[in-house]
Amino acid sequence: YLSDAYYFVDVKDKTSVRANVAADAAETTLKGQFCRSVLSDPSLSDEDKARVIDVGLNALSGKEGEI
């Protein structure tokens, strides 16, 4: 279908594997402390906590991502 309109298509895979937050929070590492701190913050909704953890873990592992 695309070959009728385009000569070249560049596809980028921006999918990621969701982290096991419970396992990460149990670690005695910076990553574990980060997860525990975010999970215990009562001012964040569950959706916000998941987003903060995703962005934070990507940053800690050196991955670039969108905020």
Side-chain angles (χ1 to χ4, degrees):
Y1 303 123
L2 292 175
S3 63
D4 295 335
Y6 299 98
Y7 172 74
F8 177 79
V9 175
D10 186 21
V11 177
K12 296 188 182 197
D13 182 3
K14 292 188 174 186
T15 60
S16 62
V17 177
R18 181 159 294 287
N20 184 344
V21 177
D24 289 340
E27 293 180 6
T28 55
T29 62
L30 177 62
K31 182 169 64 170
Q33 182 58 50
F34 172 74
C35 289
R36 288 189 297 277
S37 295
V38 173
L39 291 172
S40 67
D41 188 338
S43 69
L44 296 173
S45 68
D46 288 342
E47 184 177 301
D48 288 341
K49 288 178 184 180
R51 183 70 180 137
V52 168
I53 288 173
D54 283 343
V55 171
L57 292 180
N58 282 340
L60 286 172
S61 65
K63 295 179 184 173
E64 293 184 17
E66 297 178 10
I67 295 177

